[in-house]
């Protein structure tokens, strides 16, 4: 399969793509990356946006991605906000090379073999996250594993190499809509919320990456996609295990993320012996007696709160039998924060 971006065919399709038709989209600029001058300007603008903690739409060979610096929790929170996801699903982390991936995830022999055969390309590997990786907790939704892939699209490659940071990127569509395979799809769906769309032509694969988890012995197929099961099985020399419903992705079990401490939600006061997760500037009654406190956002910013949530749960887990959690507004990102908190508070099975 040819994964190059600048075929004559593609260049003519993306040239003359209309920019920002409606008032809502007035701030969105689409850059035709097959035009050398626009490519330069588009890369510069995308880098500036990403370095400032913003999000951009980037082409990949599978589908267009909504990308943010994966090491910046606030930037990752913006992805969930724009997609309108009611939950924090873990995101795929994109890197330019296997060497970059090895700084983030622990590669066993099977994973190394698959990466050598299919990267760059439409295969995502779910592997243990390295303890010293700087990936934001929100990008992996607090999991100890990370989904990682090396995209083949030259524009994604150029962006990743110039930025020097991994990019978290789900498909660039609102939650519940189909994945975009052209810049025009992205503009129609998300144009009002993003400033930069890099137009790399129609996605040549056109469906999402195949997701495979490895624990060193067993390969589990978590999602079918751009690389066929058969091709993976030939390279791996073993059958892929169908997903067994065991908990790997969130939302599959209510209590999946449960910390060992109990959670008491919508707490307006901290009781003796409790740890406290605070939100906003007004202290909870009894806050000064809390065993330990983390404020998700003293200014009441839900993006900041989302970026701190998983870290706070980790840090407070086990320091007290119960963690009291102050009320979080249920609007915008608050809905996903509350979903996560309800799961963490659900009775264990
Ligand atoms: O082709 C693709 O993979 C596109 C392009 C943009 O790269 N990205 C994409 O991302 O489809 P998204 O967010 O729409 O799908 C990511 C999937 C989710 O179903 C999520 O549950 C799963 O990957 N995932 C991410 N991290 C995981 C983890 N640590 N364990 C299990 N599943 C994970
Ligand atoms: Mg998607």
């Amino acid at each position: 399969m040819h994964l190059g971006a600048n075929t004559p065919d593609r260049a003519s399709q993306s040239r003359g793509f209309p920019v920002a038709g409606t008032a809502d989209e007035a701030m969105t600029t689409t850059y035709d990356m097959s035009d050398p001058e626009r490519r330069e300007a588009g890369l510069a603008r995308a880098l500036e946006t990403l370095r400032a903690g913003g999000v951009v739409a980037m082409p990949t060979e599978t589908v267009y991605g909504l990308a943010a610096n994966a090491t910046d929790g606030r930037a990752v929170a913006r992805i969930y906000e724009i997609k309108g996801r009611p939950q924090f699903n873990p995101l795929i982390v994109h890197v330019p090379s296997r060497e970059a991936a090895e700084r983030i995830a622990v590669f066993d022999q099977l994973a190394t073999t698959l990466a050598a055969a299919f990267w760059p390309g439409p295969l995502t590997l779910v592997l243990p996250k390295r303890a010293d990786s700087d990936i934001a907790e929100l990008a992996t939704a607090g999991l100890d594993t990370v989904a990682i892939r090396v995209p083949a699209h030259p524009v994604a490659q150029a962006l990743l190499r110039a930025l020097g940071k991994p990019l978290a990127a789900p498909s660039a569509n609102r939650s519940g809509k189909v994945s975009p395979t052209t810049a025009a799809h992205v503009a129609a769906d998300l144009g009002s919320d993003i400033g930069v769309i890099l137009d790399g032509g129609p996605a040549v694969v056109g469906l999402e990456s195949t997701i495979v988890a490895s624990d060193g012995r067993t390969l589990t197929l978590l999602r079918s996609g751009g690389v066929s099961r058969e091709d993976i099985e030939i390279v791996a020399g073993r059958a892929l295990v169908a997903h067994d419903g065991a908990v790997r992705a969130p939302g599959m079990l209510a209590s999946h993320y449960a910390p060992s401490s109990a959670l008491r939600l919508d707490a307006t006061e901290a009781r003796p012996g409790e740890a406290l997760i605070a939100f906003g500037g007004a202290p909870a009654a009894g806050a000064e007696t809390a065993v330990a406190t983390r404020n998700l956002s003293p200014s009441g910013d839900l993006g900041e709160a989302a970026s701190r949530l998983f870290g706070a749960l980790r840090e407070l887990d086990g320091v007290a039998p119960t963690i009291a959690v102050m009320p979080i507004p249920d609007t915008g990102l608050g809905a996903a924060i509350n979903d996560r908190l309800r799961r963490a508070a659900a009775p264990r099975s």
Side-chain angles (χ1 to χ4, degrees):
M1 181 175 21
H2 177 64
L3 296 173
N6 291 321
T7 61
D9 197 347
R10 162 150 339 164
S12 61
Q13 283 182 52
S14 55
R15 195 169 297 133
F17 177 77
V19 174
T22 69
D24 264 5
E25 294 172 17
M27 303 301 289
T28 309
T29 309
T30 298
Y31 294 87
D32 175 357
M33 300 299 277
S34 68
D35 172 334
E37 269 170 41
R38 294 293 284 165
R39 180 183 163 97
E40 193 95 337
L43 268 182
R45 176 84 188 286
L47 287 169
E48 187 191 347
T49 304
L50 292 168
R51 288 187 184 125
V55 300
V56 306
M58 71 166 176
T60 87
E61 71 280 14
T62 58
V63 299
Y64 276 71
L66 185 62
N69 178 351
T71 67
D72 177 346
R74 296 291 294 277
V76 174
R78 188 83 186 110
I79 292 178
Y80 291 103
E81 192 174 31
I82 292 173
K83 282 195 66 105
R85 274 189 173 174
Q87 300 178 351
F88 295 127
N89 289 329
L91 304 175
I92 295 173
V93 172
H94 298 68
V95 290
S97 65
R98 187 139 57 93
E99 294 66 45
E102 283 168 357
R103 289 196 285 273
I104 293 169
V106 181
F107 278 69
D108 56 60
Q109 191 53 54
L110 277 171
T112 301
T113 302
L114 292 181
F118 297 108
W119 283 354
L123 175 71
T124 294
L125 294 171
V126 173
L127 301 171
K129 186 168 71 165
R130 274 176 61 149
D132 60 355
S133 101
D134 54 358
I135 300 298
E137 291 261 20
L138 193 57
T140 58
L143 296 174
D144 294 327
T145 53
V146 59
I148 195 160
R149 88 176 183 97
V150 177
H153 197 293
V155 171
Q157 278 284 334
L159 191 61
L160 286 163
R161 288 180 192 275
L163 184 67
K165 298 276 183 194
L167 288 171
S171 50
N173 52 279
R174 302 258 186 231
S175 189
K177 298 269 194 84
V178 296
S179 296
T181 55
T182 67
H185 295 163
V186 179
D189 202 11
L190 299 179
S192 55
D193 280 334
I194 56 179
V196 186
I197 300 173
L198 301 182
D199 182 355
V204 292
V205 175
L207 79 173
E208 294 89 345
S209 60
T210 303
I211 305 182
V212 172
S214 177
D215 64 3
R217 280 160 291 123
T218 306
L219 293 177
T220 305
L221 179 64
L222 298 181
R223 180 177 77 185
S224 306
V227 179
S228 76
R229 172 187 200 128
E230 290 78 7
D231 284 352
I232 295 170
E233 291 181 335
I234 288 167
V235 167
R238 70 190 62 209
L240 291 185
V241 175
H243 186 247
D244 53 7
V247 178
R248 278 191 197 81
M252 302 177 89
L253 245 196
S255 62
H256 174 39
Y257 284 130
S260 61
S261 298
L263 254 63
R264 192 168 65 79
L265 304 184
D266 294 319
T268 49
E269 85 292 332
R271 297 175 187 159
E274 286 183 336
L276 176 68
I277 290 182
F279 177 83
E288 65 291 342
T289 67
V291 174
T293 301
R294 293 290 180 278
N295 193 323
L296 297 181
S297 175
S299 67
D301 179 307
L302 288 167
E304 180 175 47
S307 72
R308 291 185 179 170
L309 175 66
F310 293 108
L313 284 169
R314 250 175 222 266
E315 285 161 21
L316 294 184
D317 191 16
V319 312
T322 301
I323 304 169
V325 185
M326 287 174 69
I328 314 271
D330 209 41
T331 53
L333 278 176
I337 295 173
N338 285 323
D339 169 79
R340 171 63 179 83
L341 287 169
R342 278 192 297 273
R343 287 174 198 283
R348 322 292 137 82
S349 43

